[in-house]
Amino acid sequence: MLKTTAARPQLSNRLLAALPRKDYQRLLPKLEPVDLAFGDVLYQPGDVITHVHFPNNSIISLLSAVTERSTLEVGIVGNEGMAGISIFMGVGVSANKFLVQGAGTAMRMKAESLGSEAGTLTALDRLLRRYSYSLLTQISQSAACNRFHTVNERLARWLLMTHDRSGTDEFQVTQEFMSNMMGVRREGVSKAAGELQRKKLINYSRGVVTILNRPGLEKCACKCYQVIRDSEDSLD
């Protein structure tokens, strides 16, 4: 069960922050601050989505089942958007596993409240439409990246996307977790992470990654990262 926070956290979600003040004030009573812990599962495929989540400094991964025991990350949601966009599209059942990749806070809202408010607040409807397009761009570009680019390039892209959403140079992640996110064996992730560490782009120790040289990491990533980043920046 998710923990509600005693104090309302500072609003860092860019989607909510982009709303006109009067619209945000209208939504505020329906937004509940929650703490998300690393590894929390919000929804499994087939679950009814009861709440949508607007991350502040947390990160939520959308995972698709490949086999009974393996998954592949198809999308990442951070402070640029909302987890549960299918509610806005009129679909109330999750097609993916929602897994907390980065601990932090989020603002959650009941699914029925989002549906009714998006139907009456023009600004919210417009922002959710733009975000839907941005998330679709991320998912489609990531699919192409997973098929055509090397593990090293994909890992660099994944670390950059996580870095963008974490708000810190240091974040928790294990090799097993990265393996599940990227759909590759742990040996492949270990080798790729080791090469990035030898180039002094990252430091990886005891399940913690530290970004040491972001410009260098961007040079190692494929062009997919910039395509996704440009799409997200267009939301501002």
Side-chain angles (χ1 to χ4, degrees), residues 87-100:
I87 292 296
F88 174 66
M89 299 175 180
V91 179
V93 176
S94 176
N96 303 112
K97 180 178 180 178
F98 286 41
L99 177 70
V100 178

Side-chain angles (χ1 to χ4, degrees), residues 26-27 30 87-88 109-122 124-125 128:
R26 172 171 164 168
L27 293 181
K30 300 179 180 181
I87 292 296
F88 174 66
M109 177 188 291
K110 290 182 179 179
E112 59 266 30
S113 296
L114 179 84
S116 61
E117 293 295 350
T120 56
L121 295 179
T122 302
L124 179 61
D125 180 88
L128 289 176

Side-chain angles (χ1 to χ4, degrees), residues 16-27:
L16 291 177
L19 287 169
R21 182 175 179 81
K22 61 181 180 61
D23 289 351
Y24 176 66
Q25 291 298 324
R26 172 171 164 168
L27 293 181

Side-chain angles (χ1 to χ4, degrees), residues 149-212:
H149 293 143
T150 67
V151 174
N152 288 22
E153 291 172 320
R154 290 166 56 196
L155 179 58
R157 172 182 64 81
W158 188 83
L159 289 172
L160 288 167
M161 292 177 66
T162 301
H163 188 224
D164 289 341
R165 291 160 175 79
S166 67
T168 175
D169 290 338
E170 184 178 285
F171 43 86
Q172 178 184 3
V173 61
T174 64
Q175 285 188 6
E176 181 178 6
F177 193 86
M178 286 189 285
S179 174
N180 291 333
M181 294 302 99
M182 297 175 60
V184 298
R185 299 179 64 179
R186 287 183 61 180
E187 292 83 356
V189 170
S190 178
K191 181 179 179 181
E195 290 186 16
L196 294 178
Q197 185 160 253
R198 281 192 292 275
K199 293 178 180 179
K200 298 184 179 180
L201 304 179
I202 67 170
N203 182 61
Y204 181 66
S205 177
R206 297 183 179 181
V208 176
V209 170
T210 304
I211 305 298
L212 301 177

Side-chain angles (χ1 to χ4, degrees), residues 32-52:
E32 178 186 24
V34 293
D35 289 322
L36 302 182
F38 177 78
D40 278 350
V41 176
L42 304 183
Y43 295 107
Q44 294 281 7
D47 286 352
V48 174
I49 300 176
T50 58
H51 294 81
V52 298

